[in-house]
Amino acid sequence: MLRGKWRRSVIRLVLSALPLFVFIPHALGTRPLEILTRIENYLYDWRVRATLTRQVDPRIVIVDIDEASLGRIGQWPWPRDQLATLVNHLFDDFGVRVVGFDVVFPEPGGAEMAGVFEELRQSPLGADPAVVRELAAAAGRLDGDKAFAEALIARDVALGLVFKRRVSPEEPAELGALPPDFAVADPRIAAVDWVRPAGFTGNLARLQEAAVAGGFFDTALVDSDGVVRRGPLFQSFKGRLYPSLAFAVARLALPEADVRFIFDAARPDVLTHVELGTSRAPVDRNGAVLIPFRGPLGSFPYLSAVDVLDGTAPAATLEGAIVLVGTSAPGLLDIRPTPVGREYVGVETHANVVAGLLDGSFPYRPGNAVLLEVAGLVLLGLLTALLVPALSPPAGLALAVALASLALGAGFVAWLRAGIVMPVGGMALYTAVAALLQLTYGYFAETRRKRRLSRLFSQYVPPEVVSDLDASEAEVSLEGETRQMSVLFSDVRGFTTISEGLSARELTRLMNEFLTPITAVIRGHRGTIDKYMGDAVMAFWGAP
């Protein structure tokens, strides 16, 4: 008996251990499963949406190149002198603090007029010195790039650029100019697994040289379901480090803040945080942060760019503000899916990161999250193997639901109290799988035991009665009970005299010829044979 119990316990442990060969490699990242990744992403998005502050942050204002602005000024790209006017109004008339452009200016402005002037120079009129002088003067007056560059000088403006993960043979790998790189003396920086693009589209050199800073605004890290949840603070191009637009803007807003890269004390090659002054941003292995979404679209003030150009924008909203110039116009393709909305304006993702850098408030996954997940899986496996078999199927199912809910609840509490992202989806699903295996094994083991007992019971009770008991699930009790029953006692008249005249073999054949048909008759009438007593048979009806 003890041996059978030990064998069943081993089987139970093996059943709980088998799924671990799938869930633990996923937790370690050696063999990730898409379904588990999607479950984790769904639970992460749910936590984000469940705890949104839903308060507008007035420190960061988005000057929006919206449909109204395109209708008034014209299609994008706008003349550079309009952009110069925009910058001048923001700093001179509204007193903003910092401006970041979530757009890139890789080509000269006024290219159409430049082509017209060149045609005139090549025409017969181009031989006239007076015409040449007038063309040169007109070109100077229409040089919007010059006006825009002059508007950028000596102002806290960061221009945007785009790093490209892949470059097709038909396009140039490098277009425009890069901003100054972020020089870091620490040799460990080179070993970090930064996003390493293949090329870039930057701004005109004269514009980038006039601006004090620049940063990339491309979506470098997109999860497998197409949702933007993370953003790298830096990318490494040809061994040089370049900041994101959000980091460049936040650094301009905090000019006295030092930048420090913090590595794990136990693992000196693992970057854990990037500090900007007193603000600390936890990063993953790619140097990326989880975007700290404040709320749904509109969590920052939006002002139409045309209102700024007209001077009708509310001065109180812009005074001392950090301004991001971007676009919500659908035709300009700066819409992306996020945990808080499937159609989220890209510039607002940068605003969320800027706010996080100012406050030091970022959700993060701790470095030991993998070990905690593996330990949780093993513990849940032991609990399901030891507790579920000791309970009835409904109670075992309730226990599995309780354990999965406990894992999910612990993850939510960690998120709510400290912004910690614990991978709980795999533990919840593993609990369900392990409990299902235990309950399934229990069902088949019980069915097998039931058949074995039925076979044993059928040696004494007619099989039809056993089948009826199984079908009706009637309770069989070993306690005494008073009941009216029919009892048969039969024997062979004169058996002693007969047996004295027969040999042992002949007597055996006689008893077989008598007991076999009478046994069949009794069972055929659903009777139970209590005992054989030599030539006598005792049988009864009405029990169990």
Side-chain angles (χ1 to χ4, degrees):
M1 182 177 177
L2 290 176
R3 181 179 178 183
K5 187 175 181 180
W6 179 84
R7 178 174 170 272
R8 288 193 296 272
S9 299
V10 171
I11 292 175
R12 295 284 189 177
L13 290 172
V14 170
L15 286 174
S16 287
L18 284 176
L20 292 178
F21 289 98
V22 175
F23 284 85
I24 288 181
H26 171 82
L28 297 175
T30 56
R31 276 206 319 260
L33 291 177
E34 181 64 20
I35 184 172
L36 293 179
T37 300
R38 287 185 176 271
I39 290 173
E40 291 291 356
N41 288 339
Y42 173 81
L43 292 173
Y44 174 79
D45 294 349
W46 180 83
R47 279 173 276 185
V48 171
R49 290 192 296 268
T51 56
L52 295 176
T53 61
R54 300 185 183 277
Q55 296 177 352
V56 176
D57 188 345
R59 299 172 299 173
I60 305 165
V61 178
I62 296 172
V63 173
D64 190 11
I65 304 170
D66 54 7
E67 293 285 359
S69 300
L70 295 177
R72 285 275 301 278
I73 307 301
Q75 66 179 8
W76 186 264
W78 288 347
R80 300 291 161 78
D81 60 334
Q82 289 279 16
L83 295 171
T85 302
L86 180 69
V87 173
N88 288 330
H89 278 328
L90 286 171
F91 282 99
D92 297 337
D93 300 334
F94 295 103
V96 302
R97 187 175 171 188
V98 177
V99 173
F101 278 91
D102 186 29
V103 288
V104 64
F105 309 102
E107 299 171 346
E112 297 83 358
M113 292 304 301
V116 172
F117 291 160
E118 186 61 29
E119 289 181 7
L120 288 173
R121 290 191 186 96
Q122 299 298 328
S123 70
L125 292 174
D128 188 339
V131 173
V132 172
R133 286 194 299 272
E134 287 299 324
L135 288 174
R141 290 193 300 271
L142 294 174
D143 189 356
D145 288 333
K146 179 182 178 183
F148 189 27
E150 290 175 349
L152 300 177
I153 294 174
R155 284 170 170 165
D156 286 336
V157 178
L159 295 182
L161 67 108
V162 174
F163 278 121
K164 297 181 285 190
R165 301 298 302 274
R166 290 172 295 276
V167 178
S168 65
E170 297 80 17
E171 63 177 322
E174 302 178 13
L175 180 62
L178 287 170
D181 63 286
F182 200 87
V184 183
D186 194 330
R188 294 176 296 179
I189 292 296
V192 176
D193 188 20
W194 305 106
V195 177
R196 303 180 190 275
F200 69 88
T201 297
N203 297 281
L204 286 174
R206 66 190 302 187
L207 298 179
Q208 188 60 70
E209 290 168 2
V212 69
F216 61 86
F217 59 82
D218 52 280
T219 307
L221 295 172
V222 179
D223 290 335
S224 58
D225 56 359
V227 177
V228 177
R229 298 179 178 89
R230 300 181 296 151
L233 294 182
F234 296 90
Q235 293 189 50
S236 177
F237 182 70
K238 293 185 175 180
R240 297 179 181 273
L241 212 56
Y242 295 91
S244 66
L245 178 64
F247 192 89
V249 168
R251 195 180 183 201
L252 290 177
L254 302 171
E256 304 299 325
D258 294 327
V259 179
R260 292 178 296 275
F261 294 87
I262 309 301
F263 288 82
D264 193 326
R267 297 173 296 171
D269 58 333
V270 176
L271 180 67
T272 60
H273 295 82
V274 175
E275 290 185 350
L276 180 61
T278 58
S279 172
R280 172 174 280 203
V283 296
D284 61 14
R285 62 184 182 86
N286 299 124
V289 294
L290 289 167
I291 300 173
F293 292 99
R294 294 181 61 83
L297 189 64
S299 296
F300 300 87
Y302 276 73
L303 296 177
S304 179
V306 71
D307 292 339
V308 176
L309 288 168
D310 291 345
T312 59
T317 302
L318 286 169
E319 185 177 1
I322 299 169
V323 171
L324 293 177
V325 180
T327 177
S328 66
L332 297 183
L333 303 177
D334 194 26
I335 307 296
R336 59 197 64 177
T338 67
V340 296
R342 302 302 298 180
E343 295 184 355
Y344 198 82
V345 178
V347 65
E348 193 163 340
T349 62
H350 307 309
N352 282 287
V353 176
V354 172
L357 288 168
L358 296 179
D359 300 332
S361 57
F362 286 92
Y364 72 100
R365 174 179 288 196
N368 60 351
V370 172
L371 295 179
L372 291 175
E373 184 177 9
V374 171
L377 289 169
V378 173
L379 177 61
L380 289 170
L382 289 174
L383 290 176
T384 54
L386 297 177
L387 299 181
V388 172
L391 301 173
S392 64
L397 182 61
L399 175 66
V401 172
L403 291 175
S405 300
L406 181 63
L408 295 175
F412 184 74
V413 170
W415 167 271
L416 193 62
R417 292 186 176 274
I420 297 175
V421 182
M422 291 300 300
V424 293
M427 288 190 283
L429 183 60
Y430 166 75
T431 302
V433 171
L436 181 62
L437 288 175
Q438 295 291 345
L439 292 172
T440 303
Y441 172 75
Y443 170 77
F444 284 109
E446 180 65 21
T447 302
R448 180 184 176 187
R449 187 176 69 86
K450 191 175 181 181
R451 288 197 302 265
R452 183 172 61 84
L453 290 176
S454 295
R455 287 195 300 269
L456 292 174
F457 201 29
S458 297
Q459 295 178 11
Y460 305 97
V461 179
E464 296 81 2
V465 176
V466 177
S467 299
D468 287 349
L469 289 173
D470 288 343
S472 62
E473 298 184 354
E475 293 290 338
V476 178
S477 174
L478 297 180
E479 296 180 357
E481 181 180 350
T482 301
R483 177 186 297 185
Q484 287 190 356
M485 297 173 55
S486 298
V487 181
L488 167 69
F489 295 94
S490 72
D491 63 354
V492 178
R493 180 181 297 175
F495 178 73
T496 302
T497 303
I498 295 172
S499 63
E500 289 175 352
L502 298 175
S503 65
R505 185 182 298 272
E506 292 172 335
L507 182 61
T508 301
R509 185 165 57 250
L510 173 65
M511 295 309 302
N512 285 338
E513 290 177 354
F514 165 68
L515 294 177
T516 298
I518 197 171
T519 298
V521 170
I522 292 171
R523 288 193 170 179
H525 289 79
R526 302 174 65 85
T528 299
I529 295 177
D530 180 70
K531 60 175 69 73
Y532 295 102
M533 299 171 290
D535 63 322
V537 178
M538 178 182 175
F540 59 85
W541 285 259

